Amino acid sequence: MSQLNADSCYIFTDTETTGLDINFSQIIQIGSILTDESLHQEDSQDIGCQLLPWIVPSPEAYLVHKKVESLRDDAMSHYEMMKLLRSTWLEWSKSRNAVYITYNGHRFDEELFRRQFFWNLLPLYITNTLGASRLDMLSTLQLVANFFPDSLKLPIFDESDVSMKLTDWSDANSIEIENAHDALADCVQMLELAKLIQENAKAVWQASIKGSSKIGNLEILQTEPFEMIGEVVRRKKFTYPVTFCGQNPKMSNEVAVADLYFDPDQLDDLTDTELLEQIGNSGTAIRKVRINKSLPVMPSDQIPNIDRFLDIPHEQLIERAQKIKENIKLQTRVSELLASNQINYPPPKHLEQTVYSGFPSDADNLWMERFHTLPWDERSKILDGFEDSRYKELAERLVCTNNLDSVSGDTLDRYRNFVNQRLYDKGPWPSLEKTLDKTRSMLIDATGEKKEILQEAKQIVDLEELITSILLVSDLSRQKE
């Protein structure tokens, strides 16, 4: 891992979850496939876990992925699943630099991985540290749809509408799917599509791999003569010629690119207020992008017959790009405006939302390592050793979930209040009562496999009784002592 000039390996990965909220949903299945740079499969992993006691699963989610085994008691724990995932990924990449490949993962799967490593006191940033980088194939397929439409069969609906669903791309390209919406099956789909892209649209694949790192994305955005963004929004294709126009000095992941369909000569005459109004995420003369995530962007000179995708002459765009590159004063102004107009978000209210609220101290990192090496009945004795209250609370949850009998009365009380809050209090998490009502309502007209899945999901009706009985029995036994 983190080998200078080492070969790369690709790790395709996908999740199935209890819902769609990245903060309060739980991963219940993870699929991963390891390949070499030529996309030859070398290994795979398919792991799942049981439901955490405070997680209320969405019946709609279970109807999609059908992972009812997570509702049973014989699956491994969530803690053991996340530890196994991390150790497998590190083993796969110990002599090569890994590129972690997901589909729409930079908005969903990647955020879930980070949060649930956090829940389990494990390092968060496995997919972009130690020589690793990350690629979201959603951006790759947007480039294909816009600039290489003949390289793959596009899933087109209503004449020109392009679907960006992974299963639609697989169906259009005759990729057989044995079990759609299974995490490992989705990895197979990504791998087979990647093979087609590597073979038929090599420039797209090369740009995507290069853009899997922040440095690579920045290099692409500074390529001569200019770059092309190709997006698919609500099934409609949009293309923009752009070039680098500034970088936030306080947050280097935020970069500005000038849309070359706008006349750059007019930008110099704008006041700072007017220039700021022209900096946005879309539809403005200057666009903000994040280079720590995959972007649907590639160098213009790698797109065959590029004139087909341009609204003004190629030579004029080259001239405009050169003006932007030479206008250091404009780039400086844009960079300063980015730095002075950052959005200040309110502080998070709940522990799960604090994943980005600071790195652990060296002392807490060492304490986490000690926590993981001890037997469960010993871990409760070191809970007070964490400096950061977040890690103490997460450690308490882990011990209570995996070895309830070892905790003190005060810890048990906190855990019981936490579980009751998540099951019955109103909050950003799913409501047990509403979920049960919805499941019962859906069961009325359900038949066949759908009915069987909902009946298994309905077993969460017993969750309240189960949790209450476990906690009460433990509490009563303490009182007798």
Side-chain angles (χ1 to χ4, degrees), residues 24-188:
F24 300 101
S25 297
Q26 179 194 336
I27 298 174
I28 54 172
Q29 186 205 8
I30 305 169
S32 302
I33 293 177
L34 171 68
T35 79
D36 62 14
E37 291 180 274
S38 298
L39 297 174
H40 297 134
Q41 182 171 334
E42 297 179 350
D43 206 345
S44 65
Q45 183 186 61
D46 183 6
I47 50 177
C49 71
Q50 59 187 255
L51 208 61
L52 288 167
W54 58 87
I55 297 293
V56 178
S58 159
E60 293 94 341
Y62 277 77
L63 287 177
V64 172
H65 56 60
K66 306 174 185 178
K67 300 298 173 186
V68 292
E69 56 266 28
S70 68
L71 300 172
R72 302 165 189 160
D73 294 332
D74 54 354
M76 76 171 73
S77 70
H78 183 255
Y79 173 75
E80 290 299 330
M81 181 184 73
M82 297 307 296
K83 281 186 63 181
L84 178 58
L85 175 72
R86 176 175 170 78
S87 64
T88 300
W89 282 357
L90 291 177
E91 176 65 24
W92 283 355
S93 60
K94 65 182 179 182
S95 61
R96 293 177 292 184
N97 295 324
V99 180
Y100 291 88
I101 302 176
T102 57
Y103 195 82
N104 197 30
H106 290 187
R107 289 187 176 183
F108 190 68
D109 305 82
E110 285 265 358
E111 293 300 326
L112 281 162
F113 286 138
R114 289 181 177 181
R115 281 158 176 77
Q116 294 182 33
F117 283 134
F118 174 62
W119 293 4
N120 290 286
L121 301 180
L122 296 167
L124 312 186
Y125 298 103
I126 187 172
T127 62
N128 66 337
T129 57
L130 302 175
S133 57
R134 57 197 194 125
L135 163 62
D136 190 333
M137 274 189 65
L138 177 63
S139 294
T140 306
L141 288 179
Q142 289 185 80
L143 289 174
V144 170
N146 278 286
F147 303 124
F148 292 77
D150 300 325
S151 62
L152 275 71
K153 294 180 180 178
L154 306 189
I156 295 178
F157 300 88
D158 299 329
E159 296 184 358
S160 61
D161 287 4
V162 180
S163 170
M164 293 310 298
K165 287 185 178 180
L166 181 62
T167 51
D168 289 342
W169 279 82
S170 295
D171 290 342
N173 289 277
S174 302
I175 297 172
E176 295 184 4
I177 310 167
E178 292 185 4
N179 187 9
H181 301 295
D182 171 87
L184 190 61
D186 287 350
C187 292
V188 172

Side-chain angles (χ1 to χ4, degrees), residues 303-322:
I303 300 173
N305 303 313
I306 190 172
D307 290 331
R308 294 184 299 162
F309 310 108
L310 303 178
D311 293 341
I312 64 177
H314 186 246
E315 293 75 15
Q316 187 176 2
L317 292 173
I318 294 177
E319 180 184 348
R320 288 183 172 184
Q322 195 59 36

